[in-house]
Amino acid sequence: MRLHASHHVSIGLRQCHTQYCQIGKKKDLKEKLENFSPSHPDVKDIKILVAGQIGAGKSSFINSVDSVFQGRISSRAIVNSAAGFDHSFTQDLKGFTVRSGKKKLPFILKDIMGLEAEVLKGSQVEDIISIVFGHVKDGYKFNKDQPLTREDQHYISDPSLSEQSFCLVYVIDANTVQFTDDKLIDKLKIIRRRISDEGIPQVVVMTKVDEACPLIQENLKKLYSSKKIKEQMELCSAKVGVPLTNIFPVKNYHNEIDTNDDVDVLILKALEQIVQLADDRLEDIDSET
């Protein structure tokens, strides 16, 4: 069927409008985060701890956040690109300050060793809990055999409010939710229970959504209409115990050479909610004192 010129113009206008909406949404989200300031007077930077199973895209998520604000692909957090690699590339605790241009933004993403199912492998449960509560200095080298002790030079016995993390992010691969080892889930539940007692919010960033659903691989805008991703989110919620409202599907930058508005919007949406949940906890603390 031959299309009239007016039909082509109509399609073009719709495409331009959709693109404009994404650019506008990205601009609004970016500006909101760039102008954010913590609600508690004693806290200059909100610290967010990013944890995840090996290969789920934990460090890639941190790099993707950085890429959005830099407007170029960033690789500050070291990522292993070898397929099938079963050991964490991250060995030390490190905090990444996010910058937009030359402006330092008031939140820090803390990267840790990847989680493993075995009891004495990967990030120790006690280490993660200690980091959340501000007991661990940056530069601490994770020990698979035992968690940090009070005698270690990296231990902070009486952490200030600004040294604590106010949100824990679990990074989970959308492809492997159903195959996640029960021992690993048990680790997450222990961490969740311990930090929930102190009111620390937890969220899930679900990565690799484009690999999990062919529909999204063709068009990232179809993410929220994907039954496959909805099923994976529901399964993840049931397994880990995090409510659906705190699960954010994203696509990390992996092998791209340029940033993309659709990818950026998903990353920014997730980060906005993470920062807001962390700040809500700070407001609660402020009202308690």
Side-chain angles (χ1 to χ4, degrees):
M1 181 177 71
R2 187 176 177 182
L3 299 176
H4 294 292
S6 60
H7 186 78
H8 285 297
V9 170
S10 174
I11 291 172
L13 286 172
R14 282 202 301 272
Q15 288 172 339
C16 287
H17 177 69
T18 303
Q19 186 66 15
Y20 176 79
C21 286
Q22 281 298 88
I23 293 170
K25 197 181 294 180
K26 172 182 166 179
K27 185 170 179 280
D28 290 345
L29 286 165
K30 232 180 134 181
E31 285 181 356
K32 187 174 180 182
L33 286 160
E34 285 168 343
N35 297 322
F36 170 84
S37 58
S39 59
H40 197 289
D42 295 336
V43 177
K44 291 182 181 179
D45 302 299
I46 286 186
K47 291 182 173 63
I48 297 155
L49 181 58
V50 184
Q53 188 174 10
I54 291 167
K58 173 179 54 66
S59 298
S60 291
F61 175 68
I62 292 173
N63 285 334
S64 296
V65 168
D66 201 42
S67 298
V68 173
F69 286 100
Q70 292 297 325
R72 59 177 174 78
I73 301 301
S74 170
S75 55
R76 287 168 67 204
I78 299 173
V79 177
N80 181 63
S81 58
F85 197 77
D86 61 355
H87 297 292
S88 177
F89 228 56
T90 305
Q91 298 294 321
D92 305 331
L93 175 64
K94 186 171 183 180
F96 290 90
T97 301
V98 181
R99 294 180 184 273
S100 184
K102 294 191 175 182
K103 181 182 179 182
K104 178 184 168 186
L105 303 186
F107 34 86
I108 294 173
L109 302 175
K110 309 211 80 168
D111 195 14
I112 64 170
M113 179 186 280
L115 283 162
E116 296 184 55
E118 286 81 356
V119 177
L120 292 177
K121 283 193 177 180
S123 293
Q124 292 279 349
V125 168
E126 291 301 323
D127 276 347
I128 293 174
I129 294 165
S130 292
I131 294 166
V132 170
F133 294 144
H135 290 293
V136 189
K137 294 178 185 176
D138 276 8
Y140 166 63
K141 190 172 184 65
F142 293 97
N143 185 338
K144 290 185 178 183
D145 298 321
Q146 66 173 31
L148 180 72
T149 64
R150 290 175 176 270
E151 291 72 35
D152 194 287
Q153 62 175 343
H154 288 95
Y155 187 84
I156 302 170
S157 57
D158 188 20
S160 65
L161 201 58
S162 62
E163 288 168 319
Q164 300 172 39
S165 299
F166 290 97
C167 187
L168 175 59
V169 176
Y170 304 120
V171 177
I172 293 179
D173 183 343
N175 291 293
T176 61
V177 177
Q178 64 270 38
F179 305 118
T180 306
D181 195 300
D182 286 342
K183 291 176 184 175
L184 181 60
I185 295 296
D186 288 342
K187 279 188 175 183
L188 293 179
K189 285 181 177 176
I190 292 167
I191 296 164
R192 177 168 167 69
R193 187 165 57 246
R194 292 275 295 279
I195 69 174
S196 291
D197 289 344
E198 298 298 323
I200 305 296
Q202 300 112 60
V203 308
V204 168
V205 166
M206 184 175 283
T207 59
K208 305 184 184 181
V209 291
D210 55 318
E211 295 176 21
C213 177
L215 192 71
I216 298 168
Q217 203 162 34
E218 292 174 10
N219 185 352
L220 200 56
K221 293 186 183 74
K222 294 183 178 179
L223 174 66
Y224 291 104
S225 60
S226 167
K227 290 181 180 177
K228 172 72 173 175
I229 297 303
K230 185 184 176 186
E231 287 171 2
Q232 295 301 80
M233 289 173 67
E234 288 171 347
L235 179 59
C236 182
S237 177
K239 272 180 168 277
V240 181
V242 172
L244 275 171
T245 51
N246 283 17
I247 298 177
F248 307 107
V250 303
K251 174 189 170 0
N252 284 337
Y253 285 114
H254 176 56
N255 54 8
E256 292 82 1
I257 57 171
D258 293 306
T259 57
N260 172 281
D261 288 331
D262 294 335
V263 175
D264 286 356
V265 166
L266 291 177
I267 296 287
L268 287 167
K269 276 183 179 177
L271 183 63
E272 181 206 18
Q273 291 299 310
I274 289 165
V275 169
Q276 192 55 62
L277 284 166
D279 199 52
D280 287 345
R281 175 57 191 148
L282 268 180
E283 282 190 357
D284 290 343
I285 290 171
D286 199 22
S287 63
E288 290 165 7
T289 54

